[in-house]
């Protein structure tokens, strides 16, 4: 699962969005199977990467869904404390809102 996640990141960076999507989407259910229904940082990280990929592909609704699920998991894990994973996801949610023309939400 971790290797597929990393391959997805490398594929996205190389511009292979189709390959990246396949690898990340294959990684996610493996991680969910390993960690169950509870929040886990590895699941949140893959959701965040799927959000990045969806944003790059122009699927802003899907990106927002992935980022929101990642944010919920990270907040569950870290509570109200400041944390870089929460900040990064909030930043990406703002960017998606800006791309969608929702400046108030951004």
């Amino acid at each position: 699962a971790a290797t597929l996640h990393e391959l997805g990141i490398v594929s996205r960076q190389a511009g292979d969005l189709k390959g990246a999507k396949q690898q990340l989407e294959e990684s996610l259910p493996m991680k969910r199977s390993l960690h169950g229904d509870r929040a886990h940082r590895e699941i949140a990280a893959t959701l965040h990467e799927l959000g990045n990929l969806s944003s790059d592909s122009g699927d802003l609704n899907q990106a927002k869904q992935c980022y929101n699920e990642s944010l919920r998991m990270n907040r569950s894990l870290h509570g109200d404390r400041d944390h870089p994973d929460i900040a990064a996801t909030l930043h990406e949610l703002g960017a998606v809102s800006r791309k969608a023309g929702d400046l108030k939400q951004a």
Side-chain angles (χ1 to χ4, degrees):
T3 301
L4 283 166
H5 175 96
E6 293 302 321
L7 284 170
I9 292 172
V10 170
S11 293
R12 178 178 157 254
Q13 291 171 342
D16 180 9
L17 300 184
K18 183 179 177 183
K21 182 176 182 178
Q22 180 181 352
Q23 291 154 340
L24 290 167
E25 286 181 344
E26 190 175 345
S27 173
L28 185 60
M30 287 181 185
K31 288 182 177 185
R32 289 188 195 275
S33 177
L34 287 168
H35 302 295
D37 290 334
R38 63 184 164 74
H40 194 278
R41 69 175 200 82
E42 288 185 20
I43 297 170
T46 299
L47 286 164
H48 186 95
E49 288 301 327
L50 281 165
N52 290 342
L53 178 64
S54 296
S55 180
D56 290 351
S57 301
D59 189 348
L60 302 182
N61 287 332
Q62 181 63 35
K64 194 171 184 177
Q65 288 177 347
C66 291
Y67 289 139
N68 278 324
E69 188 175 353
S70 176
L71 182 62
R72 280 190 299 275
M73 280 196 181
N74 278 315
R75 283 188 167 153
S76 174
L77 292 167
H78 305 294
D80 291 334
R81 296 175 292 154
D82 292 338
H83 193 276
D85 293 342
I86 293 171
T89 303
L90 287 169
H91 173 82
E92 295 299 341
L93 277 166
V96 166
S97 294
R98 181 185 47 78
K99 284 181 184 178
D102 187 356
L103 300 182
K104 184 177 180 182
Q105 183 66 32

